[in-house]
Amino acid sequence: MSQHPRPKFTYLGHATILCELPGGETVLIDPWVQNNPACPKELKELKRVDAVLITHAHGDHMGDAVEIAKKHRPKTVVANYEICNWLTQKGVENCAGMNLGGTQDVLGMQVTMVRADHSCGISDGDQTLYGGVASGYIVRLSGGFTFYHAGDTALFSDMQLLGEMYRPELAFLPIGDYYTMDPQQAARACRFLGVRKVIPIHWGTFPVLTGTPEKLVKALGDYGASCEVIGLKPGESY
Ligand code: NI
Ligand code: MN
């Protein structure tokens, strides 16, 4: 069991996580808030955003990135190189475009961009622009607490390598199926990663997203993996 101070995570619905660091700064992962139908109304007005992490370019992950960045002026906006170029063209400041395998310091955290098996086109008006590749993030806090946000991804066995190298204590994993892993695959991901706790994301927002936290609990049981499912509803915190 970890004694490291950990952030407070608030689930804003779909794949959007607001992470309040022990020092009071906040990191918004996948800024889809105002237009996110899963986000409770009372949480749509964010108080403070000190950094933004974007896993990939799809609208259900960065649909409100430009608006939020212009309003809250975060110190750093992290995404891949192509997305950051596009955001900068749209007037977003402080973009820090990186790529898979790289690590950068964000508010004293070590943020590593890691693989995700997914697409990453940028919708801009009626066009789809090349947006580099989709990613996830391993985030290591200065006190040692480490978590993984997988973004949108299929299951891949290199998650085992992420587990070995970074030993995340908590993972945010998509479970909805159709665009990403389903609960059966997510159960294997938990085992590959060696995480003790998982917070399911990317479920319930649209009818095609049929995976549920209950199905993940069952899949983990069937698979014999011991991992606690923290089934947050939009608006709930852990
Ligand atoms: Ni996506
Ligand atoms: Mn998505």
Side-chain angles (χ1 to χ4, degrees):
M1 280 299 153
S2 165
Q3 302 302 318
H4 303 141
R6 63 166 172 80
K8 178 184 173 190
F9 297 102
T10 300
Y11 184 42
L12 298 185
H14 201 57
T16 303
I17 304 293
L18 185 68
C19 168
E20 293 175 60
L21 300 178
E25 289 169 307
T26 69
V27 183
L28 182 63
I29 306 176
D30 279 353
W32 193 43
V33 180
Q34 280 76 23
N35 297 306
N36 180 346
C39 181
K41 257 205 183 90
E42 64 274 17
L43 292 176
K44 290 196 179 195
E45 277 311 310
L46 301 169
K47 289 185 186 72
R48 158 173 197 184
V49 180
D50 298 286
V52 175
L53 307 185
I54 298 170
T55 62
H56 66 293
H58 292 157
D60 58 322
H61 297 260
M62 69 165 206
D64 298 324
V66 173
E67 190 184 327
I68 287 170
K70 285 182 178 174
K71 181 169 178 196
H72 293 280
R73 306 178 72 83
K75 290 192 187 87
T76 313
V77 176
V78 178
N80 74 27
Y81 177 79
E82 289 81 2
I83 291 171
C84 279
N85 278 348
W86 184 84
L87 289 171
T88 302
Q89 282 170 23
K90 298 291 173 189
V92 174
E93 294 174 356
N94 303 326
C95 290
M98 60 190 305
N99 220 319
L100 298 184
T103 298
Q104 64 174 309
D105 185 297
V106 178
L107 307 175
M109 309 176 299
Q110 297 299 303
V111 173
T112 303
M113 180 177 270
V114 298
R115 170 179 169 190
D117 284 355
H118 193 68
S119 61
C120 196
I122 303 172
S123 294
D124 190 338
D126 57 2
Q127 292 191 68
T128 300
L129 308 176
Y130 176 70
V133 296
S135 69
Y137 292 102
I138 295 277
V139 180
R140 288 170 284 170
L141 274 68
S142 54
F145 180 82
T146 300
F147 70 93
Y148 169 51
H149 189 298
D152 281 0
T153 187
L155 179 65
F156 54 90
S157 58
D158 280 2
M159 285 181 182
Q160 204 159 7
L161 196 54
L162 299 180
E164 274 178 37
M165 288 187 68
Y166 301 107
R167 308 217 165 271
E169 294 166 45
L170 168 71
F172 295 89
L173 298 181
I175 63 161
D177 201 347
Y178 200 81
Y179 299 114
T180 70
M181 296 191 283
D182 65 12
Q184 282 74 33
Q185 295 168 57
R188 287 194 178 246
C190 290
R191 187 135 155 198
F192 280 155
L193 292 161
V195 287
R196 308 184 69 120
K197 293 174 195 298
V198 58
I199 297 181
I201 58 174
H202 217 272
W203 61 277
T205 319
F206 315 117
V208 291
L209 304 183
T210 54
T212 63
E214 294 72 32
K215 288 180 185 171
L216 177 59
V217 170
K218 184 172 186 307
L220 282 163
D222 292 348
Y223 190 50
S226 62
C227 178
E228 182 190 350
V229 177
I230 299 161
L232 298 182
K233 294 192 186 73
E236 289 182 344
S237 296
Y238 168 68

mmCIF file of all heavy atoms in Angstrom, residues 3-36:
data_model
loop_
_atom_site.group_PDB
_atom_site.id
_atom_site.type_symbol
_atom_site.label_atom_id
_atom_site.label_comp_id
_atom_site.label_asym_id
_atom_site.label_seq_id
_atom_site.Cartn_x
_atom_site.Cartn_y
_atom_site.Cartn_z
ATOM 1 N N GLN A 3 1.904 5.031 0.761
ATOM 2 C CA GLN A 3 1.687 6.117 1.716
ATOM 3 C C GLN A 3 1.959 7.466 1.053
ATOM 4 O O GLN A 3 1.928 8.494 1.701
ATOM 5 C CB GLN A 3 2.608 5.951 2.938
ATOM 6 C CG GLN A 3 2.421 4.631 3.661
ATOM 7 C CD GLN A 3 1.004 4.407 4.139
ATOM 8 O OE1 GLN A 3 0.372 5.319 4.647
ATOM 9 N NE2 GLN A 3 0.469 3.206 3.962
ATOM 10 N N HIS A 4 2.257 7.428 -0.247
ATOM 11 C CA HIS A 4 2.549 8.687 -0.945
ATOM 12 C C HIS A 4 1.325 9.573 -0.972
ATOM 13 O O HIS A 4 0.232 9.101 -1.206
ATOM 14 C CB HIS A 4 2.968 8.401 -2.401
ATOM 15 C CG HIS A 4 4.131 7.493 -2.534
ATOM 16 N ND1 HIS A 4 4.220 6.521 -3.512
ATOM 17 C CD2 HIS A 4 5.258 7.405 -1.817
ATOM 18 C CE1 HIS A 4 5.366 5.878 -3.384
ATOM 19 N NE2 HIS A 4 6.007 6.383 -2.370
ATOM 20 N N PRO A 5 1.529 10.896 -0.765
ATOM 21 C CA PRO A 5 0.383 11.785 -0.933
ATOM 22 C C PRO A 5 -0.077 11.710 -2.385
ATOM 23 O O PRO A 5 0.739 11.758 -3.299
ATOM 24 C CB PRO A 5 0.953 13.171 -0.602
ATOM 25 C CG PRO A 5 2.431 13.040 -0.669
ATOM 26 C CD PRO A 5 2.767 11.605 -0.467
ATOM 27 N N ARG A 6 -1.377 11.548 -2.566
ATOM 28 C CA ARG A 6 -1.860 11.445 -3.938
ATOM 29 C C ARG A 6 -2.831 12.575 -4.222
ATOM 30 O O ARG A 6 -3.401 13.168 -3.308
ATOM 31 C CB ARG A 6 -2.501 10.080 -4.177
ATOM 32 C CG ARG A 6 -3.733 9.819 -3.340
ATOM 33 C CD ARG A 6 -4.486 8.613 -3.876
ATOM 34 N NE ARG A 6 -5.566 8.229 -2.998
ATOM 35 C CZ ARG A 6 -6.746 8.835 -2.963
ATOM 36 N NH1 ARG A 6 -6.980 9.873 -3.744
ATOM 37 N NH2 ARG A 6 -7.682 8.444 -2.134
ATOM 38 N N PRO A 7 -3.022 12.852 -5.507
ATOM 39 C CA PRO A 7 -3.940 13.932 -5.860
ATOM 40 C C PRO A 7 -5.377 13.511 -5.588
ATOM 41 O O PRO A 7 -5.672 12.331 -5.392
ATOM 42 C CB PRO A 7 -3.729 14.102 -7.371
ATOM 43 C CG PRO A 7 -2.646 13.181 -7.763
ATOM 44 C CD PRO A 7 -2.441 12.191 -6.677
ATOM 45 N N LYS A 8 -6.252 14.506 -5.584
ATOM 46 C CA LYS A 8 -7.691 14.225 -5.586
ATOM 47 C C LYS A 8 -8.135 14.228 -7.050
ATOM 48 O O LYS A 8 -7.892 15.201 -7.778
ATOM 49 C CB LYS A 8 -8.413 15.315 -4.807
ATOM 50 C CG LYS A 8 -9.927 15.166 -4.785
ATOM 51 C CD LYS A 8 -10.543 16.367 -4.068
ATOM 52 C CE LYS A 8 -12.061 16.341 -4.183
ATOM 53 N NZ LYS A 8 -12.642 17.609 -3.694
ATOM 54 N N PHE A 9 -8.747 13.133 -7.459
ATOM 55 C CA PHE A 9 -9.193 13.015 -8.844
ATOM 56 C C PHE A 9 -10.710 13.182 -8.899
ATOM 57 O O PHE A 9 -11.435 12.480 -8.197
ATOM 58 C CB PHE A 9 -8.850 11.630 -9.399
ATOM 59 C CG PHE A 9 -7.376 11.338 -9.472
ATOM 60 C CD1 PHE A 9 -6.765 10.534 -8.517
ATOM 61 C CD2 PHE A 9 -6.595 11.862 -10.494
ATOM 62 C CE1 PHE A 9 -5.410 10.244 -8.583
ATOM 63 C CE2 PHE A 9 -5.232 11.582 -10.567
ATOM 64 C CZ PHE A 9 -4.644 10.768 -9.616
ATOM 65 N N THR A 10 -11.167 14.102 -9.739
ATOM 66 C CA THR A 10 -12.611 14.254 -9.938
ATOM 67 C C THR A 10 -12.938 13.865 -11.372
ATOM 68 O O THR A 10 -12.310 14.347 -12.325
ATOM 69 C CB THR A 10 -13.055 15.701 -9.657
ATOM 70 O OG1 THR A 10 -12.718 16.015 -8.300
ATOM 71 C CG2 THR A 10 -14.566 15.858 -9.849
ATOM 72 N N TYR A 11 -13.903 12.950 -11.493
ATOM 73 C CA TYR A 11 -14.304 12.449 -12.804
ATOM 74 C C TYR A 11 -15.347 13.397 -13.391
ATOM 75 O O TYR A 11 -16.451 13.518 -12.858
ATOM 76 C CB TYR A 11 -14.878 11.039 -12.630
ATOM 77 C CG TYR A 11 -15.263 10.337 -13.914
ATOM 78 C CD1 TYR A 11 -14.459 10.401 -15.049
ATOM 79 C CD2 TYR A 11 -16.426 9.576 -13.975
ATOM 80 C CE1 TYR A 11 -14.814 9.731 -16.208
ATOM 81 C CE2 TYR A 11 -16.781 8.901 -15.135
ATOM 82 C CZ TYR A 11 -15.967 8.992 -16.249
ATOM 83 O OH TYR A 11 -16.325 8.321 -17.404
ATOM 84 N N LEU A 12 -14.983 14.093 -14.469
ATOM 85 C CA LEU A 12 -15.916 15.033 -15.086
ATOM 86 C C LEU A 12 -16.758 14.350 -16.171
ATOM 87 O O LEU A 12 -17.508 15.007 -16.879
ATOM 88 C CB LEU A 12 -15.170 16.242 -15.663
ATOM 89 C CG LEU A 12 -14.410 17.097 -14.636
ATOM 90 C CD1 LEU A 12 -13.820 18.340 -15.294
ATOM 91 C CD2 LEU A 12 -15.296 17.499 -13.460
ATOM 92 N N GLY A 13 -16.643 13.052 -16.284
ATOM 93 C CA GLY A 13 -17.429 12.300 -17.252
ATOM 94 C C GLY A 13 -16.637 11.989 -18.506
ATOM 95 O O GLY A 13 -15.724 12.708 -18.894
ATOM 96 N N HIS A 14 -16.973 10.857 -19.137
ATOM 97 C CA HIS A 14 -16.293 10.349 -20.327
ATOM 98 C C HIS A 14 -14.828 10.059 -20.002
ATOM 99 O O HIS A 14 -14.587 9.149 -19.221
ATOM 100 C CB HIS A 14 -16.501 11.309 -21.503
ATOM 101 C CG HIS A 14 -16.287 10.640 -22.823
ATOM 102 N ND1 HIS A 14 -17.001 9.522 -23.201
ATOM 103 C CD2 HIS A 14 -15.433 10.905 -23.848
ATOM 104 C CE1 HIS A 14 -16.584 9.140 -24.408
ATOM 105 N NE2 HIS A 14 -15.635 9.953 -24.802
ATOM 106 N N ALA A 15 -13.870 10.797 -20.577
ATOM 107 C CA ALA A 15 -12.464 10.510 -20.253
ATOM 108 C C ALA A 15 -11.801 11.676 -19.535
ATOM 109 O O ALA A 15 -10.577 11.710 -19.394
ATOM 110 C CB ALA A 15 -11.695 10.190 -21.539
ATOM 111 N N THR A 16 -12.595 12.627 -19.105
ATOM 112 C CA THR A 16 -12.052 13.876 -18.554
ATOM 113 C C THR A 16 -11.872 13.776 -17.038
ATOM 114 O O THR A 16 -12.813 13.456 -16.314
ATOM 115 C CB THR A 16 -12.997 15.044 -18.908
ATOM 116 O OG1 THR A 16 -13.148 15.081 -20.331
ATOM 117 C CG2 THR A 16 -12.445 16.357 -18.414
ATOM 118 N N ILE A 17 -10.648 14.055 -16.613
ATOM 119 C CA ILE A 17 -10.287 13.953 -15.195
ATOM 120 C C ILE A 17 -9.695 15.279 -14.740
ATOM 121 O O ILE A 17 -8.796 15.821 -15.391
ATOM 122 C CB ILE A 17 -9.209 12.855 -14.985
ATOM 123 C CG1 ILE A 17 -9.660 11.498 -15.542
ATOM 124 C CG2 ILE A 17 -8.827 12.741 -13.508
ATOM 125 C CD1 ILE A 17 -10.817 10.866 -14.822
ATOM 126 N N LEU A 18 -10.183 15.780 -13.632
ATOM 127 C CA LEU A 18 -9.582 16.946 -12.996
ATOM 128 C C LEU A 18 -8.779 16.448 -11.808
ATOM 129 O O LEU A 18 -9.311 15.776 -10.918
ATOM 130 C CB LEU A 18 -10.667 17.923 -12.534
ATOM 131 C CG LEU A 18 -10.145 19.243 -11.970
ATOM 132 C CD1 LEU A 18 -9.484 20.082 -13.063
ATOM 133 C CD2 LEU A 18 -11.278 20.035 -11.325
ATOM 134 N N CYS A 19 -7.509 16.776 -11.831
ATOM 135 C CA CYS A 19 -6.577 16.233 -10.846
ATOM 136 C C CYS A 19 -6.069 17.394 -9.994
ATOM 137 O O CYS A 19 -5.429 18.304 -10.513
ATOM 138 C CB CYS A 19 -5.467 15.573 -11.659
ATOM 139 S SG CYS A 19 -4.033 15.096 -10.788
ATOM 140 N N GLU A 20 -6.420 17.392 -8.706
ATOM 141 C CA GLU A 20 -5.958 18.446 -7.800
ATOM 142 C C GLU A 20 -4.740 17.940 -7.049
ATOM 143 O O GLU A 20 -4.824 16.968 -6.296
ATOM 144 C CB GLU A 20 -7.068 18.825 -6.814
ATOM 145 C CG GLU A 20 -8.255 19.493 -7.489
ATOM 146 C CD GLU A 20 -9.399 19.740 -6.510
ATOM 147 O OE1 GLU A 20 -9.201 20.462 -5.518
ATOM 148 O OE2 GLU A 20 -10.484 19.189 -6.743
ATOM 149 N N LEU A 21 -3.626 18.611 -7.257
ATOM 150 C CA LEU A 21 -2.373 18.165 -6.660
ATOM 151 C C LEU A 21 -2.336 18.526 -5.185
ATOM 152 O O LEU A 21 -3.050 19.441 -4.743
ATOM 153 C CB LEU A 21 -1.197 18.813 -7.397
ATOM 154 C CG LEU A 21 -1.131 18.484 -8.897
ATOM 155 C CD1 LEU A 21 0.032 19.210 -9.556
ATOM 156 C CD2 LEU A 21 -1.010 16.986 -9.099
ATOM 157 N N PRO A 22 -1.490 17.811 -4.410
ATOM 158 C CA PRO A 22 -1.398 18.105 -2.980
ATOM 159 C C PRO A 22 -1.121 19.588 -2.696
ATOM 160 O O PRO A 22 -1.574 20.119 -1.691
ATOM 161 C CB PRO A 22 -0.249 17.199 -2.513
ATOM 162 C CG PRO A 22 -0.279 16.048 -3.472
ATOM 163 C CD PRO A 22 -0.692 16.637 -4.797
ATOM 164 N N GLY A 23 -0.431 20.287 -3.601
ATOM 165 C CA GLY A 23 -0.142 21.715 -3.401
ATOM 166 C C GLY A 23 -1.248 22.656 -3.834
ATOM 167 O O GLY A 23 -1.103 23.866 -3.730
ATOM 168 N N GLY A 24 -2.355 22.112 -4.360
ATOM 169 C CA GLY A 24 -3.496 22.947 -4.723
ATOM 170 C C GLY A 24 -3.616 23.261 -6.209
ATOM 171 O O GLY A 24 -4.642 23.761 -6.661
ATOM 172 N N GLU A 25 -2.560 22.995 -6.976
ATOM 173 C CA GLU A 25 -2.658 23.238 -8.419
ATOM 174 C C GLU A 25 -3.517 22.150 -9.062
ATOM 175 O O GLU A 25 -3.648 21.053 -8.517
ATOM 176 C CB GLU A 25 -1.250 23.238 -9.034
ATOM 177 C CG GLU A 25 -0.462 24.469 -8.641
ATOM 178 C CD GLU A 25 0.998 24.372 -9.018
ATOM 179 O OE1 GLU A 25 1.627 23.362 -8.638
ATOM 180 O OE2 GLU A 25 1.499 25.293 -9.671
ATOM 181 N N THR A 26 -4.104 22.488 -10.216
ATOM 182 C CA THR A 26 -4.966 21.495 -10.861
ATOM 183 C C THR A 26 -4.500 21.195 -12.284
ATOM 184 O O THR A 26 -4.052 22.078 -13.013
ATOM 185 C CB THR A 26 -6.440 21.955 -10.924
ATOM 186 O OG1 THR A 26 -6.534 23.044 -11.835
ATOM 187 C CG2 THR A 26 -6.957 22.366 -9.568
ATOM 188 N N VAL A 27 -4.634 19.927 -12.636
ATOM 189 C CA VAL A 27 -4.293 19.447 -13.971
ATOM 190 C C VAL A 27 -5.563 18.873 -14.583
ATOM 191 O O VAL A 27 -6.226 18.026 -13.967
ATOM 192 C CB VAL A 27 -3.225 18.329 -13.895
ATOM 193 C CG1 VAL A 27 -2.831 17.880 -15.292
ATOM 194 C CG2 VAL A 27 -2.020 18.789 -13.096
ATOM 195 N N LEU A 28 -5.903 19.334 -15.767
ATOM 196 C CA LEU A 28 -7.087 18.829 -16.457
ATOM 197 C C LEU A 28 -6.631 17.871 -17.559
ATOM 198 O O LEU A 28 -5.865 18.261 -18.446
ATOM 199 C CB LEU A 28 -7.874 19.997 -17.050
ATOM 200 C CG LEU A 28 -9.180 19.653 -17.762
ATOM 201 C CD1 LEU A 28 -10.195 19.039 -16.798
ATOM 202 C CD2 LEU A 28 -9.769 20.904 -18.430
ATOM 203 N N ILE A 29 -7.074 16.622 -17.469
ATOM 204 C CA ILE A 29 -6.708 15.634 -18.485
ATOM 205 C C ILE A 29 -7.896 15.457 -19.432
ATOM 206 O O ILE A 29 -9.004 15.172 -19.000
ATOM 207 C CB ILE A 29 -6.332 14.288 -17.837
ATOM 208 C CG1 ILE A 29 -5.237 14.491 -16.791
ATOM 209 C CG2 ILE A 29 -5.873 13.286 -18.910
ATOM 210 C CD1 ILE A 29 -4.871 13.226 -16.027
ATOM 211 N N ASP A 30 -7.640 15.648 -20.709
ATOM 212 C CA ASP A 30 -8.629 15.569 -21.787
ATOM 213 C C ASP A 30 -9.791 16.563 -21.585
ATOM 214 O O ASP A 30 -10.865 16.234 -21.075
ATOM 215 C CB ASP A 30 -9.134 14.129 -21.974
ATOM 216 C CG ASP A 30 -8.152 13.310 -22.806
ATOM 217 O OD1 ASP A 30 -7.176 13.885 -23.337
ATOM 218 O OD2 ASP A 30 -8.348 12.083 -22.931
ATOM 219 N N PRO A 31 -9.508 17.806 -22.014
ATOM 220 C CA PRO A 31 -10.428 18.920 -21.754
ATOM 221 C C PRO A 31 -11.690 18.894 -22.625
ATOM 222 O O PRO A 31 -11.760 19.546 -23.661
ATOM 223 C CB PRO A 31 -9.569 20.158 -22.064
ATOM 224 C CG PRO A 31 -8.556 19.682 -23.064
ATOM 225 C CD PRO A 31 -8.275 18.251 -22.711
ATOM 226 N N TRP A 32 -12.646 18.133 -22.185
ATOM 227 C CA TRP A 32 -13.978 18.125 -22.814
ATOM 228 C C TRP A 32 -14.959 18.328 -21.667
ATOM 229 O O TRP A 32 -15.285 17.389 -20.949
ATOM 230 C CB TRP A 32 -14.223 16.793 -23.531
ATOM 231 C CG TRP A 32 -15.411 16.813 -24.436
ATOM 232 C CD1 TRP A 32 -15.768 17.797 -25.303
ATOM 233 C CD2 TRP A 32 -16.392 15.768 -24.595
ATOM 234 N NE1 TRP A 32 -16.905 17.429 -25.987
ATOM 235 C CE2 TRP A 32 -17.310 16.197 -25.569
ATOM 236 C CE3 TRP A 32 -16.575 14.524 -23.996
ATOM 237 C CZ2 TRP A 32 -18.393 15.430 -25.974
ATOM 238 C CZ3 TRP A 32 -17.647 13.752 -24.401
ATOM 239 C CH2 TRP A 32 -18.551 14.202 -25.378
ATOM 240 N N VAL A 33 -15.376 19.549 -21.467
ATOM 241 C CA VAL A 33 -16.120 19.903 -20.259
ATOM 242 C C VAL A 33 -17.452 20.558 -20.613
ATOM 243 O O VAL A 33 -18.520 19.970 -20.400
ATOM 244 C CB VAL A 33 -15.277 20.841 -19.359
ATOM 245 C CG1 VAL A 33 -16.048 21.208 -18.097
ATOM 246 C CG2 VAL A 33 -13.953 20.181 -18.996
ATOM 247 N N GLN A 34 -17.397 21.744 -21.187
ATOM 248 C CA GLN A 34 -18.632 22.488 -21.488
ATOM 249 C C GLN A 34 -19.553 21.689 -22.399
ATOM 250 O O GLN A 34 -20.762 21.674 -22.204
ATOM 251 C CB GLN A 34 -18.301 23.849 -22.132
ATOM 252 C CG GLN A 34 -17.885 24.914 -21.139
ATOM 253 C CD GLN A 34 -16.458 24.715 -20.640
ATOM 254 O OE1 GLN A 34 -15.646 24.083 -21.305
ATOM 255 N NE2 GLN A 34 -16.169 25.230 -19.460
ATOM 256 N N ASN A 35 -18.980 21.028 -23.406
ATOM 257 C CA ASN A 35 -19.796 20.293 -24.377
ATOM 258 C C ASN A 35 -19.885 18.801 -24.080
ATOM 259 O O ASN A 35 -20.386 18.035 -24.901
ATOM 260 C CB ASN A 35 -19.238 20.523 -25.785
ATOM 261 C CG ASN A 35 -19.334 21.991 -26.177
ATOM 262 O OD1 ASN A 35 -20.404 22.585 -26.120
ATOM 263 N ND2 ASN A 35 -18.207 22.601 -26.531
ATOM 264 N N ASN A 36 -19.387 18.416 -22.920
ATOM 265 C CA ASN A 36 -19.414 17.003 -22.529
ATOM 266 C C ASN A 36 -20.774 16.692 -21.894
ATOM 267 O O ASN A 36 -21.076 17.174 -20.801
ATOM 268 C CB ASN A 36 -18.271 16.774 -21.527
ATOM 269 C CG ASN A 36 -18.171 15.341 -21.028
ATOM 270 O OD1 ASN A 36 -19.098 14.546 -21.216
ATOM 271 N ND2 ASN A 36 -17.067 15.022 -20.388
#
